[in-house]
Amino acid sequence: MYTKKIDISTSIKKIKLSSCIMNASGALCSTEQELNKLLKSSSGAIITKSCTSFPRKGNMNPRYFYCKKYGSINSMGLPNLGIDFYLDFFEKKKTKKPIFLSISGLSEEENFFLLRKANLSSKISAVELNLSCPNILVKDKKNNMINIGYDSYKLSSFLKEVFKLYEKPLGLKLPPYFNEIDIKNIAFILNKYPIYFVTCINSIPNGIFINSTNESVVISPKKGFGGIGGKIIKPFALANIRLFYLYLRKEISIIGCGGITNGKDIFDHVLCGASAVQIGTQFIEEGLTVFDRLEKEFISILEKKNYLSIDNFKGNLKKNLI
């Protein structure tokens, strides 16, 4: 019988997490009830729904759809209760669990406003700045509207302004990248700034699920197009994690997000270089018990491999077949 204690705690630079498993922003973390449940759960940290300056109702329903075989599609439209609600909520709470505030302003100026507000809070452990939301668009050199996370020049000038006004721990939630050179270029920019972590990846944009019986789309907003999450995106998440692990300064931690449904998925994320993982689609479908189940499955894998902590294998993916 295995007697040594398996430690799945982790650190995001100076931020200590009792478990490397946490929720993803957008997954059951919007309301007071949802946040209270997360505070009592076994998750290693808690992250809020991406918030804006004022409350938003978001897009029309149905705006989320789950397919057991592939995963999920959503076009939520940033429904949230506004930054003041989240800051006030945590100001009243006593907890040792790290608190990550996700922010997603609808413009660069709104993000600056949100960061200034977050700067005043003593309860927020770090901000996760959502640079991958389809609502935040900038013009590229050809005047196409794209996410700021896809334009290295705009991203650099934006981060330069961010770190003039925000002094606390800051991480970035990044969109998925599909070419190594793009990740290399983005990492080159990020390495210039005192970033605590990056979260890889947000949902893959412009997907579509079809109801063959009705011969229709399955969500109402944007003619049925939305972000794809869940098990189908795991290979893309792992590729982004691995390449950012190779190109980023080691002081910048990586939080893996995408396609986690079991303990093996967590192991694969960490093996590619993630220091922690976020659970989105599976959390929505399974509820709070997902954290206990995933922790049990993950620890079981580490026991079989004789690993005592995630540091024993983090980033140690072999380059060649054995």
Side-chain angles (χ1 to χ4, degrees):
M1 183 176 178
Y2 202 90
T3 57
K4 293 184 179 179
K5 181 176 174 59
I6 306 297
D7 180 12
I8 63 167
S9 67
T10 191
S11 295
I12 305 299
K13 209 165 184 179
K14 297 178 181 179
I15 304 171
K16 307 291 185 181
L17 281 66
S18 61
S19 166
C20 64
I21 307 168
M22 62 188 289
N23 69 298
S25 177
L28 304 181
C29 56
S30 298
T31 67
E32 182 174 356
Q33 183 181 29
E34 290 170 345
L35 294 172
N36 276 324
K37 288 181 178 180
L38 274 168
L39 285 172
K40 297 174 183 178
S41 75
S42 61
S43 68
I46 178 174
I47 186 165
T48 69
K49 170 68 180 175
S50 292
C51 65
T52 48
S53 300
F54 301 101
R56 285 174 56 90
K57 292 183 178 180
N59 292 335
M60 69 181 79
N61 288 308
R63 55 195 183 186
Y64 171 88
F65 178 85
Y66 176 70
C67 170
K68 186 175 182 179
K69 185 176 181 180
Y70 298 114
S72 64
I73 182 171
N74 83 87
S75 179
M76 303 300 290
L78 286 176
N80 73 94
L81 298 177
I83 188 171
D84 288 338
F85 165 79
Y86 297 105
L87 293 180
D88 292 343
F89 174 85
F90 289 113
E91 200 64 37
K92 301 171 185 175
K93 297 295 179 179
K94 291 184 179 180
T95 179
K96 294 182 179 179
K97 188 173 291 192
I99 305 300
F100 291 74
L101 177 73
S102 176
I103 68 171
S104 188
L106 302 183
S107 66
E108 292 184 43
E109 292 72 22
E110 184 177 7
N111 276 315
F112 297 151
F113 171 79
L114 294 169
L115 286 167
R116 288 189 184 96
K117 279 215 161 189
N119 222 9
L120 301 175
S121 173
S122 61
K123 294 297 184 74
I124 301 302
S125 305
V127 160
E128 182 185 82
L129 179 56
N130 186 351
L131 297 183
S132 48
C133 177
N135 295 287
I136 309 171
L137 301 177
V138 297
K139 286 185 178 180
D140 66 7
K141 294 179 181 179
K142 297 181 180 179
N143 285 327
N144 297 313
M145 300 302 290
I146 63 170
N147 292 107
I148 192 171
Y150 285 125
D151 189 314
S152 56
Y153 176 78
K154 292 284 180 65
L155 177 61
S156 182
S157 60
F158 173 66
L159 290 177
K160 186 177 181 180
E161 295 303 314
V162 163
F163 285 104
K164 286 181 181 178
L165 59 92
Y166 190 75
E167 301 172 351
K168 294 183 178 181
L170 179 74
L172 307 176
K173 187 166 189 178
L174 298 175
Y177 300 95
F178 302 101
N179 297 295
E180 181 174 355
I181 187 61
D182 294 327
I183 292 178
K184 186 176 182 180
N185 289 339
I186 293 296
F188 178 78
I189 298 299
L190 301 185
N191 283 335
K192 297 178 180 180
Y193 297 96
I195 294 166
Y196 265 54
F197 66 91
V198 296
T199 301
C200 305
I201 56 175
N202 205 338
S203 56
I204 296 179
N206 296 322
I208 194 168
F209 281 6
I210 300 297
N211 182 326
S212 300
T213 302
N214 296 338
E215 300 181 11
S216 70
V217 297
V218 297
I219 58 173
S220 292
K222 298 183 179 180
K223 300 179 181 180
F225 288 86
I228 305 298
K231 63 173 65 177
I232 196 172
I233 77 168
K234 179 186 170 184
F236 301 101
L238 295 182
N240 277 250
I241 292 165
R242 185 60 183 169
L243 289 172
F244 273 113
Y245 182 78
L246 295 176
Y247 286 120
L248 285 175
R249 291 184 292 107
K250 291 304 177 224
E251 293 84 1
I252 301 177
S253 298
I254 298 171
I255 300 178
C257 184
I260 294 176
T261 63
N262 54 51
K264 178 186 176 299
D265 296 328
I266 297 175
F267 182 85
D268 293 347
H269 276 61
V270 176
L271 188 64
C272 283
S275 295
V277 297
Q278 294 179 351
I279 317 300
T281 297
Q282 194 63 31
F283 175 34
I284 293 173
E285 296 305 314
E286 190 172 334
L288 289 170
T289 58
V290 72
F291 299 114
D292 297 320
R293 177 181 65 81
L294 291 176
E295 180 176 318
K296 184 178 180 180
E297 292 177 1
F298 183 45
I299 288 175
S300 178
I301 292 173
L302 300 196
E303 286 179 343
K304 292 175 183 177
K305 289 179 172 289
N306 290 322
Y307 290 137
L308 297 179
S309 75
I310 67 172
D311 290 333
N312 293 150
F313 66 98
K314 184 178 73 176
N316 289 347
L317 179 68
K318 294 180 176 68
K319 297 180 182 179
N320 302 307
L321 292 174
I322 301 300

